[in-house]
Amino acid sequence: MMMMMMVSDDCLVECKIDDDSDEYDDREEVQITTPPPPPEFASKVPTPAPKPATPSTGPATPTPTHTPSPTLPVNRDPHGINQHLKVEVSDVLAEPATPHSIDRVWLHSVVGFEKARIWTYCILSSLFAVPLAFLCGIFLALLACLHVWFVVPCIQLSNTFLPCLRSLCMCGVNVFITPFCTSLALCCSQIAVTLSNKDYHQMRNKETA
């Protein structure tokens, strides 16, 4: 059974054929644009999906590792409570230009000062640092205990009961002391003292006599 397919006129292209080949070479090439085929002649094959990119087989770039910083010296005086103890050689020893000692003598004096200061402090701190720190800890613990369990409760209780006592004291003052002082002030305000020149001369004569 034969099936006949109908082709639309849009798919037909008109081409001119010249018999003379020489004239065809001299003519300009004519660009022929062909319209797209109708949907029934289009290919039914789906467009292939793009292939995923293959990973590169080159050597991986090493991740830079963080190099640990050198250990910094610990600040043992963060609040600066002992800044006045930072004594150097120039704070104690100073040689003027005129009385000038030998360079080696000055150098050994500076070295001796520094070594004596450092080693004496190290020895004394080795002997007394731990016991004194122990005593300071006991003293601070005792002070904290007294502050928490005695001083602060007394202050809070005083702040609680003092307003009542203040009210009672103010009532007693307003009832008894204020009227008496007001009356005494009114009595004393009426007293006037006058001094004449005659009395002043008499008193002066008595003093000279």
Side-chain angles (χ1 to χ4, degrees):
M1 185 175 181
M2 296 180 61
M3 295 181 63
M4 296 181 64
M5 298 181 64
M6 300 297 293
V7 180
S8 62
D9 297 335
D10 297 336
C11 296
L12 299 178
V13 179
E14 181 179 356
C15 298
K16 294 180 68 177
I17 301 175
D18 295 334
D19 295 333
D20 194 356
S21 59
D22 296 335
E23 295 179 1
Y24 180 76
D25 295 335
D26 297 335
R27 293 176 184 175
E28 295 180 357
E29 185 179 358
V30 179
Q31 184 178 4
I32 302 172
T33 58
T34 59
E40 56 267 14
F41 291 98
S43 176
K44 302 298 182 181
V45 181
T47 305
K51 295 181 180 181
T54 56
S56 60
T57 58
T61 305
T63 305
T65 57
H66 177 68
T67 57
S69 59
T71 305
L72 298 176
V74 180
N75 185 11
R76 300 184 181 181
D77 190 8
H79 301 290
I81 59 177
N82 287 324
Q83 293 292 333
H84 57 283
L85 295 179
K86 290 185 178 180
V87 181
E88 297 181 358
V89 181
S90 58
D91 298 329
V92 179
L93 299 177
E95 192 176 40
T98 305
H100 199 276
S101 63
I102 304 173
D103 294 339
R104 222 169 254 285
V105 172
W106 174 256
L107 180 62
H108 288 302
S109 300
V110 172
V111 173
F113 176 86
E114 287 291 336
K115 294 296 182 182
R117 180 175 64 88
I118 292 172
W119 284 106
T120 304
Y121 178 78
C122 290
I123 293 171
L124 292 177
S125 62
S126 300
L127 294 175
F128 299 108
V130 176
L132 291 177
F134 186 74
L135 292 176
C136 288
I138 293 176
F139 177 74
L140 289 177
L142 180 63
L143 183 62
C145 183
L146 291 175
H147 186 78
V148 170
W149 296 104
F150 181 74
V151 177
V152 174
C154 290
I155 293 174
Q156 294 298 327
L157 290 175
S158 300
N159 292 333
T160 302
F161 291 108
L162 280 179
C164 300
L165 184 62
R166 178 177 177 275
S167 300
L168 293 176
C169 292
M170 290 300 295
C171 291
V173 168
N174 292 330
V175 171
F176 299 103
I177 301 176
T178 302
F180 174 76
C181 293
T182 304
S183 302
L184 185 62
L186 290 174
C187 294
C188 293
S189 63
Q190 301 299 325
I191 298 175
V193 178
T194 57
L195 184 64
S196 63
N197 292 331
K198 183 179 179 180
D199 297 333
Y200 176 73
H201 289 300
Q202 289 179 356
M203 291 176 60
R204 188 174 180 182
N205 295 329
K206 289 180 181 180
E207 289 177 0
T208 56

